[in-house]
């Protein structure tokens, strides 16, 4: 017997009524007060995730450099502390180790922390006084648990694989290998493929060889400054706890003509690709990404501009594809969470390393960032989440100066460069106001933003570290929860 639309509507209404009982709402209200706020630090490799997380923790512990964090400006922020991670299966973010590297220790000069190699979490507790008089009477001091989730940027590439087939990925990857400067780097891998018949019976030694060869090619591309966002998988670059696992023993292969024999190299590689996609990527997304409340997307725009227009376009494509896998919207109210579960309701797109760009051009860097993420931001806002873009430097390693050259007063940056004893003044090129013109200039090699090292004296007892707009970033990400 068929059911009418009105009958189905009535059935859904009764189901909803059972979920929205006073007991369920009371339980949800209690959980919202006690539940940690989970902030995901998202970004591709070398975007500055480890530095950002370290700087955020330091800034909240010593908030003297946070004038634009409203709770701090109002004098309502009482303080913060580091806490033990809530999930015993996730390693703790090594805050003290990273801070010591930034400060310089054991006679070493300050330097940048090592890139993230594993998933980690930093838990902090914040206390503040509510802004409203009524709220102060109900609870004069409030507390928030903040969980900051850090992970290798290479793993973000995997989100673009969730909906792809092995055949499509292989075809695109192999076509890419034969283009431009990548072709020379791909020669050893392609030569090995020439000796194989994808329809031949599979064996573990050959599959492991293919996986190692593909990993070596990806690493060679990244070392040469070539984009790898459309290739992946990310764990072939940073395997984490999957080092040597059979699920990483495959590579792109040309599709055999006709029927693909069961147990063939191609069939087993396709099976392992699907296992990787569903069991590794899918599980990681469900257990970590799908539980985020807030998200900061870090983008090394100065680095991409220095690498050329192709790198900027590749970065845009990688961000658009990967961000499409996240759940956005306003699901944090009592009813909203009961209906839709956890969703990300605030996103910050941050152009990192803004200190490499003269201060007068930061608005242009922000405009370029807006242009880069316009499609992704529009889709996220459509789902109901708030977005903002900012040009930031979580740790300020360089300062803006003017220098005269050939009778011109040029906007430059000054900082410490590896291998040099004294700070250097560098003219990185002028960033145009028009994002399209900036991309055109990048295509012609018009930019050279240097990777400065942290300055001496960056970490001082009882003080936060120098930064650019980190306080504004924090106000967007958690400011509303400190109201």
């Amino acid at each position: 017997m068929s059911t009418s639309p009105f009958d189905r509507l009535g059935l859904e209404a009764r189901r909803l009524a059972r979920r929205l009982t006073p007991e369920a709402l009371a339980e949800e209200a209690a959980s919202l007060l006690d539940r940690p706020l989970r902030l995901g630090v998202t970004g591709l490799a070398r975007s500055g995730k480890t530095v950002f997380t370290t700087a955020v923790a330091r800034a909240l512990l010593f908030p003297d450099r946070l004038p634009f964090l409203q709770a701090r400006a109002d004098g309502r922020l009482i303080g913060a502390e580091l806490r033990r991670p809530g999930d015993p299966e996730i390693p703790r973010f090594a805050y003290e180790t990273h801070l010591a590297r930034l400060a310089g220790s054991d006679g070493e000069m300050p330097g940048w922390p090592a890139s993230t190699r594993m998933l980690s979490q930093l838990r902090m507790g914040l206390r503040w006084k509510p802004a409203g008089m009524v709220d102060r009477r109900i609870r004069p001091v409030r507390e928030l648990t903040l969980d900051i989730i850090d992970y290798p940027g290479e793993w973000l590439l995997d989100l673009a694989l969730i909906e792809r087939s092995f055949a499509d990925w292989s075809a695109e990857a192999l076509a890419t290998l034969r283009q431009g400067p990548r072709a020379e780097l791909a020669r050893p891998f392609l030569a090995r493929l020439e000796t194989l018949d994808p329809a031949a019976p599979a064996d573990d030694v050959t599959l492991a060889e293919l996986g190692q060869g593909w990993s070596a090619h990806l690493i060679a591309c990244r070392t040469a400054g070539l984009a790898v966002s459309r290739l992946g998988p990310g764990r072939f670059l940073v395997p984490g706890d999957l080092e040597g696992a059979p699920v990483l023993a495959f590579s792109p292969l040309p599709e055999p003509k006709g029927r693909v024999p069961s147990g063939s190299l191609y069939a087993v590689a396709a099976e392992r690709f699907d296992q990787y996609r569903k069991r590794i990527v899918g599980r990681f997304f469900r257990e970590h990404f799908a539980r985020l409340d807030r998200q900061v997307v870090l983008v090394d725009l100065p680095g991409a501009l220095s690498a050329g227009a192709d790198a900027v376009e590749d970065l845009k494509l990688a961000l658009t594809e990967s961000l499409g896998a996240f759940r956005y919207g306003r699901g944090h109210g009592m009813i909203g969470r009961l209906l839709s579960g956890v969703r990300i309701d605030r996103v910050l797109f941050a152009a990192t390393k803004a200190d490499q760009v003269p201060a007068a051009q930061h608005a242009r860097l922000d405009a370029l960032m807006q242009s880069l993420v316009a499609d992704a931001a529009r889709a996220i806002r459509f789902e109901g989440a708030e977005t903002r873009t900012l040009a930031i430097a979580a740790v300020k390693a360089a300062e803006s100066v003017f220098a005269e050259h050939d009778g011109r007063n040029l906007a430059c940056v000054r900082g410490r460069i590896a291998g040099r004893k004294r700070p250097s003044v560098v003219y990185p090129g002028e960033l145009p106001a028009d994002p399209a013109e900036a991309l055109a200039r990048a295509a012609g090699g018009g930019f050279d933003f240097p990777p400065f090292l942290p300055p001496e004296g960056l970490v001082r007892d009882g003080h936060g570290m120098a930064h650019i707009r980190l306080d504004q970033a924090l106000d967007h990400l958690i400011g509303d929860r400190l109201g």
Side-chain angles (χ1 to χ4, degrees), residues 265-413:
L265 276 175
Y266 190 90
V268 176
E271 180 182 335
R272 289 187 176 175
F273 177 85
D274 286 338
Q275 288 174 342
Y276 180 90
R277 190 170 52 86
K278 295 174 182 177
R279 296 174 60 180
I280 306 303
V281 182
R283 183 177 62 205
F284 185 76
F285 179 82
R286 289 191 302 272
E287 293 180 358
H288 304 294
F289 286 164
R291 298 166 55 200
L292 298 180
D293 302 293
R294 304 286 165 89
Q295 183 180 40
V296 54
V297 182
L298 305 179
V299 179
D300 178 11
L301 259 185
L305 288 168
S306 295
D310 288 345
V312 178
E313 287 298 326
D314 185 80
L315 180 63
K316 176 181 179 179
L317 183 62
L319 288 172
T320 301
E321 287 192 346
S322 57
L323 293 177
F326 289 89
R327 289 163 52 88
Y328 298 100
R330 291 197 167 277
H332 288 78
M334 288 185 287
I335 295 178
R337 279 199 64 215
L338 284 172
L339 294 177
S340 60
V342 177
R343 290 178 180 267
I344 298 169
D345 64 356
R346 284 198 177 206
V347 181
L348 175 70
F349 293 101
T352 60
K353 307 177 186 179
D355 54 333
Q356 297 178 5
V357 180
Q361 299 170 30
H362 284 183
R364 299 179 179 185
L365 185 64
D366 192 354
L368 181 58
M369 184 68 177
Q370 291 182 37
S371 174
L372 185 74
V373 301
D375 293 339
R378 188 182 304 111
I380 290 170
R381 287 194 297 270
F382 182 79
E383 295 297 328
E386 293 184 33
T387 68
R388 186 181 180 184
T389 63
L390 273 176
I392 73 167
V395 170
K396 186 179 179 182
E399 59 180 349
S400 298
V401 297
F402 284 94
E404 187 174 336
H405 179 72
D406 290 341
R408 298 173 58 200
N409 204 24
L410 301 178
C412 301
V413 285

Side-chain angles (χ1 to χ4, degrees), residues 2-15:
S2 62
T3 305
S4 72
F6 293 102
D7 291 335
R8 289 196 297 272
L9 183 61
L11 179 62
E12 289 301 319
R14 289 191 293 274
R15 288 177 178 171

Side-chain angles (χ1 to χ4, degrees), residues 102-122:
L102 287 167
S105 58
D106 298 327
E108 293 186 359
M109 293 291 287
W112 298 116
S115 298
T116 304
R117 308 297 294 178
M118 298 284 291
L119 174 74
S120 64
Q121 170 185 298
L122 185 67

Side-chain angles (χ1 to χ4, degrees), residues 65-114:
R65 292 180 177 267
L66 300 179
F68 290 103
L69 178 61
Q70 195 60 50
R72 163 67 180 173
D74 294 344
R76 296 185 294 103
L77 182 63
I78 297 173
E81 66 176 3
L82 297 176
R83 293 181 175 174
R84 288 189 298 272
D87 191 335
E89 296 183 5
I90 301 178
R92 179 181 180 273
F93 179 83
Y95 165 73
E96 294 81 4
T97 301
H98 300 319
L99 186 67
R101 183 74 184 100
L102 287 167
S105 58
D106 298 327
E108 293 186 359
M109 293 291 287
W112 298 116

Side-chain angles (χ1 to χ4, degrees), residues 165-242:
S165 69
F166 178 71
D168 289 343
W169 173 71
S170 287
E172 182 177 356
L174 293 177
T176 303
L177 297 193
R178 296 178 171 89
Q179 300 173 3
R182 202 182 304 268
E184 180 63 28
L185 295 175
R187 186 179 297 177
F189 178 76
L190 292 175
R192 181 67 179 105
L193 288 189
E194 291 292 332
T195 68
L196 298 175
D197 178 7
D203 66 88
D204 289 338
V205 173
T206 301
L207 286 165
E209 249 181 52
L210 288 171
Q212 292 164 7
W214 184 240
S215 176
H217 173 69
L218 292 180
I219 293 172
C221 287
R222 185 175 64 179
T223 302
L226 300 178
V228 295
S229 63
R230 292 292 293 174
L231 298 178
R235 299 252 186 172
F236 280 63
L237 287 160
V238 181
D241 56 356
L242 294 180

Side-chain angles (χ1 to χ4, degrees), residues 364 368 432-439:
R364 299 179 179 185
L368 181 58
D434 182 1
E437 186 180 344
L439 291 180

